[in-house]
Amino acid sequence: CGPAREGFPSHAAVLKQAAVALGVPADNVVEQAEVHDTVDEIRALRARAGDTPVALVTSAWHMPRAVALARRAGLRVIPCPADFAARPQPQPSWTDYMWDLSGLDRTTKAVHEYLGLWWARLRGQA
């Protein structure tokens, strides 16, 4: 997330374009282009939505922290996870135990999110 860099659209603008391309009416998408992080996004959304329930769409790996921050801020959110990094398999495979770059990426995301959630709780934000 974050505001646009010079010459580039903001993350919010890109996501709005994607939502519209998928059939969501443009008038139903609120673009918060000037936020810098999840806490900023939650505060801006709380100010805009008030007590109205809102769909919280974010990556599945980011959802626990985003929901905790939103609920602590008093938002009534309906979690709508996307971008799943892992999918359950009916049977484990020997390749599930092999190290590779995608596993390192998932581990990095998990550590980032757990540390972020821990830090937000220490600061009373989640």
Side-chain angles (χ1 to χ4, degrees):
C1 48
R5 293 185 327 227
E6 189 173 328
F8 294 93
S10 69
H11 186 73
V14 172
L15 293 179
K16 181 176 182 174
Q17 289 173 354
V20 170
L22 290 169
V24 176
D27 293 344
N28 289 358
V29 180
V30 175
E31 186 178 338
Q32 299 181 154
E34 295 305 317
V35 298
H36 292 89
D37 59 20
T38 305
V39 173
D40 282 352
E41 286 186 290
I42 294 297
R43 288 180 183 147
L45 184 56
R46 175 69 171 112
R48 185 179 300 269
D51 292 330
T52 304
V54 294
L56 180 60
V57 181
T58 189
S59 296
W61 52 266
H62 182 54
M63 188 61 72
R65 182 163 58 110
V67 167
L69 289 167
R71 290 189 175 151
R72 178 67 177 206
L75 267 171
R76 294 176 52 200
V77 294
I78 303 162
C80 300
D83 188 32
F84 290 86
R87 293 176 183 22
Q89 301 287 334
Q91 291 290 330
S93 166
W94 65 274
T95 59
D96 293 337
Y97 302 99
M98 305 263 316
W99 290 27
D100 61 9
L101 289 178
S102 66
L104 181 60
D105 182 51
R106 288 191 304 273
T107 301
T108 300
K109 288 177 181 177
V111 168
H112 176 86
E113 287 303 315
Y114 282 119
L115 287 175
L117 184 56
W118 174 75
W119 182 242
R121 286 183 177 152
L122 278 176
R123 295 170 55 199
Q125 295 174 329

